[in-house]
Amino acid sequence: MTVRKAPRAPRSRPARRRSGAAAVALVLAVVGLVVGVVLVGLPQIDGGRDRAQRSDGLTRADVGRDTPVPQPAPLSPGLDLSAWAAGVAGRSAIPARALRAYGAAELAQRALTPGCRLSWTTLAAIGRVESDHGRLGRAELDADGVSRPLIIGVPLDGSGGVREIRDTDGGRLDGDPTYDRAVGPMQFLPTTWARYGADGNGDGVRDPFQIDDAAAAAAAYLCADGRDTATGAGWWDGVLTYNRSVSYAQLVWAAANRYAGAAAPAP
């Protein structure tokens, strides 16, 4: 498979964050309109703080580390993912296009590493917390699986509680030659994408802005080092590697638990 460069982010440098929530919101909105990206205020994957709550009422689960998260039965190989996603979308409030990506990533990862026992519900939970399934801010998830405008995190410049991570890829993915930024619906840093980037939709391109590719990469990342995500310890180890914050993991746990309940029709 030929690995080509992912879509190039705009080179215009977004304005730095200012103090005050209102000022931050104004800057992000204005800059997003100018450069054609959605700026994520709280970047993830080795990045910064926890995301703010959104309108679906999701809150952190009051659970301790290593508490197993409920998981539905694994998806069956040969499943009609389009029909499955259409049925689950109405019960879960997850876009069907995103569900197809999460389901495909579960099936592919279970075939590669069956001992990891990764569920689509965990991938969907991370997608919810990171980017609202590619719909953060003004972004919408297109039929081709790309969120437009592109979703790009704030610079990891050490301010406002985020880690400082200097640029590692010359701005190739995030458009920033000074600091790294998390990109795409699953919010990958350039260094993490370089290691785990995947071609989930089989088009020959590894693109962190495309949800099939991003979900497949997240699955590989969560299952690295022989983890069994169906166990409490394995699940927490994977999610905390994604973001080293217990409160972040508790929010992902709550989302995964919610989606597990939506996986099967109510009796």
Side-chain angles (χ1 to χ4, degrees), residues 37-38 40 131 134-136 139 147 149-153 182-185 187 209:
V37 300
V38 169
V40 179
S131 72
R135 302 175 299 177
L136 194 64
S147 294
L150 300 180
I151 298 174
I152 298 178
V183 300
Q187 286 289 277
F209 295 100

Side-chain angles (χ1 to χ4, degrees), residues 24 27 32 43 52 76 86 89 120 139-140 159 183 185 202-203 225 229 231 233 250 267:
V24 171
V27 170
S76 300
W120 67 267
E140 293 291 341
S159 67
V183 300
D203 66 353
D225 300 322
T229 61
T231 67
Q250 289 172 326

Side-chain angles (χ1 to χ4, degrees), residues 11-70:
R11 285 287 183 182
S12 301
R13 176 94 183 261
R16 294 283 294 276
R17 287 171 291 169
R18 301 174 183 173
S19 60
V24 171
L26 177 61
V27 170
L28 294 183
V30 171
V31 175
L33 289 171
V34 172
V35 303
V37 300
V38 169
L39 300 181
V40 179
L42 302 175
Q44 300 297 330
I45 298 189
D46 302 333
R49 301 165 291 176
D50 297 326
R51 299 249 186 256
Q53 295 180 23
R54 299 194 183 97
S55 58
D56 64 0
L58 184 70
T59 58
R60 292 188 294 115
D62 185 15
V63 295
R65 196 192 191 288
D66 294 348
T67 303
V69 66

